[in-house]
Amino acid sequence: MPSLPPEIIYLVCSFLGIDDVQRFRLASKWFADIGAAYMLPEVSFTLHAQDLDRLRVISLHPLFSKHVRKLTCHADVIDSPKVSWVEYLRNHQARIRTNPMLRGQQVDGSQLGAEYKIYSDAVDAQDKLIEGKGDLTLLKDVLPRFPSLKTLRMVADNVDYATSPIKRSRPLAEYLEKGYINISHPEGKRALEVLLSAIAHSPYPPESLQAATLYWRFFQRSERELARMFRPLVNLIAINFSLNIDPADEWIDDGFSLRKCQKVLGKGAIRNILRRMPRLRRLHFEILNSLIIRCRRKGCRAT
């Protein structure tokens, strides 16, 4: 095998799944180095301490960091402010009553108290991280270590967990099951702001930017501010945005929200950004209402 050209070995590796690549890398140091190019082509993370620590470790790896081509930020957040201990206990009892799989279980006060402390500490850590912009600081440090980065994604629509080839449990899944996790609101706004601010400090700007789903008011800014935010992405080749017009925080119906969105975009908010991207070849923009988004998350089809 060492007599084969490296190009052939790389080609063979490109057809292997992650599990097979892991076994392939055990064969020899040479195979380990080649297989490293296919171990972590995509890295996903949330804006929380544990995931960010993992991202830092990957960025410091001498082989894996060189081959990360896609970076996906999931905008999941634990609901804040946190619920009280009394409400946490009440919610736990309600889940037992409504879930046939949990009926008959006894509430262990000490165990539940320990779980509540973990939950409480997680919310405090998240709030501290966001307030101190610790996620932005880390991303500014990490992104310059990914020289092969081509695609930057912000995902506030978690349907891709089931279909992703990188088998990894959904971040913060334990809080999702208990109803204490939500999509950041306004949807995707802060997560995309953090990514755009961080990529401005990287010498390796991406060629593709994706955001699904993003609350439409993200573009309700001055032309100067939008130009500043997207200036590091002037060399983009592809853009894929899904805008959400869900009026949850507006107390208006979908139709009115859509008209307001169209009015803002009609002033040229997006057009002016695209004018500064001479290499752009692929553009996908869609506007989704709350019904379509709910169906996408549940895996059904909206008609």
Side-chain angles (χ1 to χ4, degrees), residues 6-226:
E7 294 82 1
I8 300 298
I9 306 300
Y10 275 103
L11 181 61
V12 170
C13 264
S14 69
F15 291 98
L16 300 179
I18 295 299
D19 293 339
D20 291 329
V21 171
Q22 290 176 331
R23 289 189 285 268
F24 174 87
R25 297 186 71 237
L26 297 175
S28 69
K29 184 179 184 306
W30 186 50
F31 280 14
D33 291 345
I34 293 177
Y38 300 93
M39 277 296 297
L40 287 173
E42 176 180 355
V43 176
S44 61
F45 66 98
T46 59
L47 300 179
H48 296 272
Q50 185 175 2
D51 259 17
L52 292 174
D53 286 342
R54 172 180 172 270
L55 184 61
R56 179 192 290 109
V57 170
I58 293 173
S59 74
L60 292 172
H61 194 283
L63 293 177
F64 295 160
S65 61
K66 295 179 181 178
H67 302 289
V68 174
R69 295 185 289 277
K70 180 185 292 186
L71 198 62
T72 299
C73 172
H74 292 275
D76 290 353
V77 292
I78 311 172
D79 290 338
S80 181
K82 60 190 174 187
V83 302
S84 66
W85 160 248
V86 173
E87 188 174 354
Y88 189 88
L89 179 60
R90 187 184 301 122
N91 291 343
H92 179 77
Q93 294 170 333
R95 285 194 298 274
I96 291 178
R97 289 194 302 269
T98 58
N99 189 337
M101 301 295 294
L102 300 178
R103 287 175 188 169
Q105 290 187 7
Q106 297 295 323
V107 177
D108 187 330
S110 60
Q111 180 181 348
L112 199 59
E115 291 178 1
Y116 178 76
K117 185 178 186 310
I118 294 174
Y119 155 76
S120 177
D121 290 346
V123 178
D124 291 342
Q126 170 189 277
D127 291 348
K128 182 179 179 180
L129 180 73
I130 293 175
E131 182 179 353
K133 297 184 178 180
D135 47 3
L136 176 58
T137 300
L138 183 134
L139 285 171
K140 287 180 179 179
D141 186 46
V142 162
L143 291 180
R145 301 183 189 137
F146 296 136
S148 299
L149 184 64
K150 299 299 182 185
T151 300
L152 195 65
R153 299 175 69 219
M154 187 288 300
V155 178
D157 184 346
N158 295 285
V159 296
D160 68 326
Y161 270 103
T163 59
S164 173
I166 310 298
K167 299 303 179 183
R168 182 168 176 254
S169 61
R170 178 172 176 171
L172 309 175
E174 66 273 24
Y175 302 113
L176 172 68
E177 294 173 358
K178 296 177 181 179
Y180 297 121
I181 189 173
N182 207 338
I183 300 299
S184 59
H185 196 78
E187 191 168 11
K189 181 175 180 292
R190 182 182 180 277
L192 186 57
E193 289 173 348
V194 168
L195 287 179
L196 293 180
S197 297
I199 202 66
H201 297 266
S202 172
Y204 311 110
E207 296 180 352
S208 174
L209 177 65
Q210 302 172 14
T213 57
L214 176 67
Y215 192 49
W216 69 270
R217 285 190 183 276
F218 178 89
F219 293 100
Q220 196 173 26
R221 310 167 189 261
S222 68
E223 181 179 346
R224 177 177 298 180
E225 184 180 2
L226 286 171

Side-chain angles (χ1 to χ4, degrees), residues 194-301:
V194 168
L195 287 179
L196 293 180
S197 297
I199 202 66
H201 297 266
S202 172
Y204 311 110
E207 296 180 352
S208 174
L209 177 65
Q210 302 172 14
T213 57
L214 176 67
Y215 192 49
W216 69 270
R217 285 190 183 276
F218 178 89
F219 293 100
Q220 196 173 26
R221 310 167 189 261
S222 68
E223 181 179 346
R224 177 177 298 180
E225 184 180 2
L226 286 171
R228 176 189 58 79
M229 294 179 69
F230 284 88
R231 188 174 296 118
L233 303 176
V234 293
N235 291 322
L236 280 183
I237 295 176
I239 294 180
N240 189 324
F241 274 13
S242 296
L243 299 188
N244 177 13
I245 61 166
D246 186 352
D249 66 340
E250 297 186 12
W251 301 100
I252 55 179
D253 59 41
D254 282 343
F256 188 27
S257 184
L258 175 60
R259 290 193 295 273
K260 292 181 70 174
C261 172
Q262 292 171 331
K263 183 177 180 180
V264 169
L265 300 185
K267 295 179 179 179
I270 295 175
R271 180 176 63 248
N272 294 332
I273 293 172
L274 300 180
R275 282 176 176 171
R276 298 179 173 91
M277 299 177 178
R279 298 182 61 201
L280 193 65
R281 297 294 180 268
R282 297 188 301 275
L283 173 64
H284 177 84
F285 248 89
E286 61 180 344
I287 296 179
L288 308 173
N289 62 23
S290 55
L291 173 62
I292 294 175
I293 292 172
R294 284 195 298 269
C295 284
R296 284 176 56 173
R297 288 175 185 158
K298 293 179 181 179
C300 62
R301 293 184 178 180

